[in-house]
Amino acid sequence: MIKNIFDKAVTEEVIGRINKLNSDSKPLWGKMAVGQMLAHCSVSYEYIFEPTKYPKPNPVLKFIIKLMAKDTVVGDKPYPKNLRTGPDFVMKDDKDFYFEKQRLIDFINNTQQLGEAHFDNKESQSFGVLSKQQWNTMFYKHLDHHLSQFGV
């Protein structure tokens, strides 16, 4: 069952897991360093809170993204290990662990404070209008997947 990231207790639990990471944390699978993983997890929030950072996909690309990825991203089935990711989510450069950690925590807190009503029927840059449950699934499932990747 997907936990509700909009619930303050769940947000605190996720942040507690993030706080167990350190700059030397190693993944159990995959190639990302811990700072890259934190930056990678922030991209979903950047789409919302920094919408000019990434160009919106054109209608044809948006249709393809919805067709190929939406069910995986907002569905209940867990992500498989080493799943290929979208280009915006690829982190090639080294990332400052402490900066990325605080940035992700701030995004998570901001999302929780805005609450699920803010996100209900809000349009996603890639997937169109999503319900509050779909937003929750997208946020929580992605965080849980990558925190589990790093053993926390």
Side-chain angles (χ1 to χ4, degrees):
M1 180 171 167
I2 306 273
K3 294 183 181 181
N4 185 352
I5 196 69
F6 298 112
D7 181 297
K8 188 159 182 58
V10 174
T11 297
E12 289 171 357
E13 175 189 318
V14 168
I15 291 170
R17 290 169 68 189
I18 292 169
N19 283 327
K20 289 180 181 176
L21 296 167
N22 62 60
S23 61
D24 295 325
S25 294
K26 301 289 185 226
L28 302 175
W29 73 85
K31 298 176 184 174
M32 283 190 287
V34 66
Q36 291 173 315
M37 178 274 290
L38 294 168
H40 167 90
C41 286
S42 288
V43 173
S44 297
Y45 299 96
E46 290 171 342
Y47 282 158
I48 299 160
F49 299 117
E50 299 173 5
T52 59
K53 185 169 184 172
Y54 302 100
K56 290 184 179 184
N58 67 50
V60 173
L61 182 57
K62 187 172 182 175
F63 175 77
I64 292 168
I65 293 169
K66 282 173 67 173
L67 187 68
M68 296 184 70
K70 184 177 179 181
D71 288 345
T72 301
V73 173
V74 301
D76 291 339
K77 188 176 175 185
Y79 289 120
K81 294 177 183 175
N82 299 312
L83 180 67
R84 195 160 176 227
T85 192
D88 293 345
F89 289 82
V90 174
M91 298 296 141
K92 294 179 182 173
D93 299 327
D94 290 338
K95 301 292 180 181
D96 180 281
F97 169 78
Y98 299 100
F99 174 82
E100 297 300 342
K101 177 181 168 185
Q102 189 57 56
R103 191 160 180 266
L104 180 57
I105 289 171
D106 290 345
F107 280 140
I108 294 167
N109 278 325
N110 192 17
T111 299
Q112 189 275 321
Q113 290 164 4
L114 287 170
E116 62 187 10
H118 175 80
F119 288 91
D120 199 23
N121 296 313
K122 183 176 179 70
E123 184 165 359
S124 157
Q125 182 168 318
S126 301
F127 303 126
V129 174
L130 299 177
S131 70
K132 61 186 176 187
Q133 292 86 2
Q134 289 172 315
W135 280 104
N136 175 67
T137 298
M138 180 174 65
F139 290 139
Y140 184 82
K141 185 168 87 166
H142 192 229
L143 290 168
D144 184 59
H145 173 76
H146 286 293
L147 293 174
S148 296
Q149 176 187 14
F150 279 81
V152 295

